[in-house]
Amino acid sequence: MGSHAARNRRHGRRALAMSVTVAIAAVLLGLPRADGAPGHASASADACRTVGAGLPRGDCGPFWQVLAEDFNGDRVPLGAFSDCDHRVDTSGAHCGGLTGTYRDNWWAYPTGWPDTATSRNRDVTGVYHPEDTVSVGPATNGDGRMSIRMWRPEDGGPVHAAAVVPRAVMEMKYGKYSARIKVVKSAPGYKSAWLHYGGGCEMDHPEGEWTGALTAFHHPCGGGAQGYFPGADDWTEWHTVSTEWTPGHVRFFVDGRQIGHDTRAVPDRPLSWVLQNESALQGPGAAPGSSAQLDITWVAAYAYDWK
């Protein structure tokens, strides 16, 4: 990718009216949309049966595991995700402030890059600041987590946002991408849009304002009606989210249930998995002095048919 995704994102469709319109169109016109109904394991569970709370380990189906991180190792304090402006948006990207396995395995959008709300001319926008938003350490129950704590300064300046990127699957074509996540502190004005993006193609899962619903979207390469797939009502509950991207297919899962499947102009080029968290694109902006936090208890990623 020549420039980072936030600079060229096409998201301007988060208003409730738009969501309702798209949902109705999906029914009337046959556009891709999940029905939300649970299915049998053979029909709806993802390839690795990723439904439990624990980190899945090992290969499954056509997928070869290349990353399994439960954050139970070294701590990464605030400030370590710094100096990230090295070989940006390539598999060689890295953050100079990180050490050890975290330097090997993780990158983040560098300090100073604007978030998507900036290009949408929102009243409240954000700027990526991984050095004061991203940390790794144990929760009160001892569970290791990566924490994304976004915040807006008391003086009303831009939101401090964070987009982290697993290096093992940067610029990779196809694969399976899973994580277990929860918004542990919610406030209006903050959202996620975890995505694969580039070349006129975009797959987003999970996406949504943290005070609203968790959804998935597929934007076919070269344009066309988006695929819209409701996934869960509440970000403040633990959810296991997975995307399976194979030739001609993209499938989205929440807690082992398939919520969406699209075959229209699915990307066939290498893309990076960006765990993007930023200021909201609909509803009220973040209030001065506010903050919100997303915790990730594990991340697993897989290459497709490499063996």
Side-chain angles (χ1 to χ4, degrees):
M1 294 182 290
S3 59
H4 76 89
R7 290 176 178 165
N8 297 305
R9 292 283 307 284
R10 294 180 284 106
H11 291 282
R13 68 268 188 297
R14 298 301 182 274
L16 179 60
M18 176 63 79
S19 295
V20 172
T21 300
V22 171
I24 294 172
V27 174
L28 297 180
L29 303 178
L31 302 179
R33 179 195 160 106
D35 60 14
H40 298 293
S42 62
S44 65
D46 69 20
C48 297
R49 304 298 188 258
T50 313
V51 295
L55 169 67
R57 293 188 182 275
D59 307 340
C60 47
F63 299 108
W64 178 28
Q65 191 169 54
V66 295
L67 176 66
E69 176 59 73
D70 61 9
F71 304 111
N72 286 324
D74 295 338
R75 298 189 184 204
V76 180
L78 285 176
F81 269 88
S82 60
D83 189 24
C84 298
D85 202 2
H86 298 278
R87 301 185 64 187
V88 301
D89 279 338
T90 73
S91 58
H94 63 276
C95 296
L98 294 175
T99 60
T101 59
Y102 283 98
R103 181 186 175 98
D104 294 338
N105 292 337
W106 292 92
W107 177 61
Y109 281 1
T111 300
W113 281 11
D115 74 356
T116 309
T118 304
S119 64
R120 307 308 304 178
N121 296 317
R122 289 273 295 178
D123 291 338
V124 177
T125 62
V127 174
Y128 291 108
H129 280 278
E131 78 287 351
D132 60 23
T133 55
V134 185
S135 62
V136 176
T140 55
N141 65 356
D143 177 41
R145 300 179 187 176
M146 175 178 278
S147 295
I148 310 292
R149 179 184 175 272
M150 296 191 289
W151 55 283
R152 189 179 181 201
E154 292 278 1
D155 64 8
V159 166
H160 286 222
V164 291
V165 185
R167 293 186 62 206
V169 290
M170 290 187 75
E171 299 185 301
M172 188 171 78
K173 185 165 71 172
Y174 308 130
K176 176 178 170 59
Y177 309 86
S178 301
R180 189 159 177 84
I181 61 173
K182 178 182 180 178
V183 171
V184 297
K185 180 183 180 184
S186 180
Y190 301 92
K191 73 178 291 272
S192 289
W194 292 18
L195 75 161
H196 290 82
Y197 174 91
C201 313
E202 187 171 339
M203 302 175 290
D204 307 274
H205 182 51
E207 178 168 1
E209 276 67 27
W210 288 355
T211 53
L214 184 156
T215 54
F217 294 88
H218 175 232
H219 302 271
C221 299
Q226 70 180 8
Y228 159 71
F229 308 103
D233 293 333
D234 195 345
W235 284 81
T236 61
E237 300 292 334
W238 281 108
H239 293 295
T240 299
V241 295
S242 295
T243 298
E244 292 182 3
W245 171 30
T246 57
H249 298 266
V250 59
R251 294 179 172 86
F252 304 109
F253 299 84
V254 174
D255 300 327
R257 176 174 58 93
Q258 182 172 301
I259 65 165
H261 176 208
D262 209 340
T263 60
R264 300 168 305 131
V266 174
D268 62 357
R269 54 173 287 169
L271 299 172
S272 297
W273 187 30
V274 182
L275 284 53
Q276 181 174 257
N277 312 279
E278 55 186 10
S279 55
L281 296 182
Q282 71 172 43
S290 68
S291 66
Q293 181 172 319
L294 172 77
D295 278 5
I296 309 168
T297 190
W298 56 256
V299 173
Y302 308 74
Y304 172 75
D305 201 23
W306 274 18
K307 289 189 174 180

